[in-house]
Amino acid sequence: MTEPRARKPIDKWLGEEIPAGESRNVMLAVSESYSSMTVQIPIHIRRATEDGPVVFVTAAVHGDEINGTGAVRELIRDADFRLLRGSVILVPVLNILAFDRHSRYLPDRRDLNRSFPGTTTGSLARRMASTLFDEIVSRSDFGIDLHTAAIRRTNYPNVRGDLTNPEVRRLAHAFGAEIILNGKGPRGGFRREACLAGCPTIIMEGGEVWKVEPTIVKSATRGIKNILRSLEMLDGSAQSPAFQVVIEKSKWIRAERGGFLQFHIKPGDILEKDQPLATNTTLLGDEHSTLCAPFDAVVIGMTSLPAISPGEPVCNLGKLPRGYKPSRLRRLRTEEDGLEQRLSEDLASNVLVVDSSEGSND
């Protein structure tokens, strides 16, 4: 039988006592600035009176991905967010140096999310990663890391995790997103290395950089609370979508020609094979060609910039598993008329979608 993983205590943090049933804001020193000033990140720790799991919720490991920052702040400010047992570690901004520069990357251009678990003698990124890993992951039993799409892209909310790990699978399904992507994540990635260290962790991807989008925040906070309810840390019933699909294969569809795109899809659309995705046109509107779906799919993400060059990514399609009919999934979502329907409509407000005579979502 595997020995339970030992974790650092949650009741003492940087010399700060945090008794059961209380909350504290603490500042964690992660680096120094060019002017030798100490760089700190703010962290909110909330403990129930009863012992239980410790869950971290982090955002902005890429400094420009701040939808998660909005979600974490929402939880901190929620007067009804009362734990029954256990503790949560809420971190609105993990990568403060990048956040202060409105950048994805650290000042040395390194990606913090490729630098975990870090070292104490390595690069700036690896030193920061080591501190964060030692102070946050080592105190936690489970983790939730919040992301958005990269610059000039948008993502329909989805959860990602290594589903070969039973605890990760449990978290991924409990979160309550329609779309779950199975995968370990990149080497040096926060959630991959946390899992390897014995702290099952998932990520949620949703929306765009440099924005706090209300429906994305609602989707994230709903999912976090769903997980806490599944761990018996929070009261209330879980809120689930009309369906959940595990995606094993995804593919970026790339432009064949340069020009200006007329989109026929929006984030979250459920497509049938050969359904039109986007038509490439000249600036005067003459059509070059139309890209079509190579298989039944869901639109996980797409570019928000219609000007395109050959080979540039247009949309990221998740292949629907055998047995999942697009028409049925669309009907279930429409009948539910809940958050997922609003999410798709809100994200579509950032792209101009042109109806196509071929294929239909009706």
Side-chain angles (χ1 to χ4, degrees), residues 34-327:
Y34 292 123
S35 57
S36 75
M37 301 293 287
T38 300
V39 175
Q40 299 176 305
I41 63 170
I43 297 175
H44 180 81
I45 298 128
R46 187 168 299 187
R47 299 190 62 202
T49 53
E50 184 180 338
D51 196 20
V54 178
V55 179
F56 74 73
V57 184
T58 53
V61 67
H62 293 130
D64 55 358
E65 299 183 7
I66 61 173
N67 264 320
T69 303
V72 174
R73 281 167 43 84
E74 191 81 7
L75 291 174
I76 294 171
R77 292 156 55 90
D78 185 352
D80 296 324
F81 185 59
R82 300 188 184 95
L83 297 179
L84 299 176
R85 69 186 193 114
S87 304
V88 291
I89 301 171
L90 302 176
V91 189
V93 176
L94 207 61
N95 191 346
I96 198 74
L97 287 173
F99 174 81
D100 280 347
R101 299 167 65 243
H102 304 303
S103 171
R104 178 183 179 87
Y105 302 113
L106 287 161
D108 62 359
R109 293 295 299 164
R110 283 184 169 87
D111 188 336
L112 181 60
N113 202 36
R114 300 294 184 273
S115 304
F116 291 96
T119 63
T120 58
T121 57
S123 65
L124 168 64
R126 290 195 177 279
R127 291 176 189 228
M128 279 185 62
S130 177
T131 299
L132 294 167
F133 212 77
D134 187 53
E135 293 294 343
I136 296 172
V137 176
S138 66
R139 298 179 192 272
S140 304
D141 299 299
F142 303 99
I144 306 167
D145 191 30
L146 305 176
H147 289 249
T148 77
I151 188 171
R152 294 190 292 273
R153 296 178 188 172
T154 186
N155 277 341
Y156 185 73
N158 62 87
V159 164
R160 304 182 184 191
D162 178 9
L163 302 188
T164 63
N165 181 322
E167 288 299 303
V168 171
R169 177 180 285 272
R170 174 189 175 192
L171 295 180
H173 283 282
F175 190 92
E178 282 183 341
I179 310 303
I180 302 171
L181 274 64
N182 184 22
K184 294 181 178 180
R187 292 186 183 279
F190 190 38
R191 56 118 165 171
R192 176 171 178 154
E193 299 301 330
C195 288
L196 289 174
C199 180
T201 299
I202 62 167
I203 68 170
M204 180 250 193
E205 292 261 2
E208 295 186 59
V209 298
W210 298 324
K211 291 184 178 180
V212 177
E213 298 164 281
T215 46
I216 298 294
V217 169
K218 186 172 181 61
S219 177
T221 55
R222 181 188 71 176
I224 293 162
K225 290 178 178 179
N226 278 346
I227 284 179
L228 296 180
R229 289 181 178 119
S230 77
L231 296 171
E232 300 180 346
M233 296 173 64
L234 204 63
D235 203 1
S237 302
Q239 300 176 33
S240 302
F243 63 86
Q244 284 189 316
V245 179
V246 174
I247 301 296
E248 298 286 349
K249 177 184 177 182
S250 62
K251 180 179 181 179
W252 274 99
I253 307 301
R254 298 180 179 274
E256 296 295 332
R257 303 281 302 272
F260 205 85
L261 295 176
Q262 292 179 339
F263 297 109
H264 306 307
I265 57 168
K266 60 184 182 296
D269 272 359
I270 301 166
L271 312 175
E272 296 175 5
K273 182 180 178 181
D274 297 326
Q275 188 167 329
L277 304 171
T279 297
N280 196 302
T281 70
T282 68
L283 292 180
L284 297 178
D286 296 326
E287 294 187 5
H288 279 323
S289 60
T290 298
L291 295 170
C292 295
F295 40 69
D296 291 352
V298 60
V299 181
I300 297 170
M302 57 187 289
T303 181
S304 56
L305 180 66
I308 204 84
S309 295
E312 288 190 324
V314 174
C315 62
N316 186 16
L317 301 184
K319 186 176 183 179
L320 291 179
R322 187 172 298 178
Y324 284 81
K325 299 296 184 183
S327 58

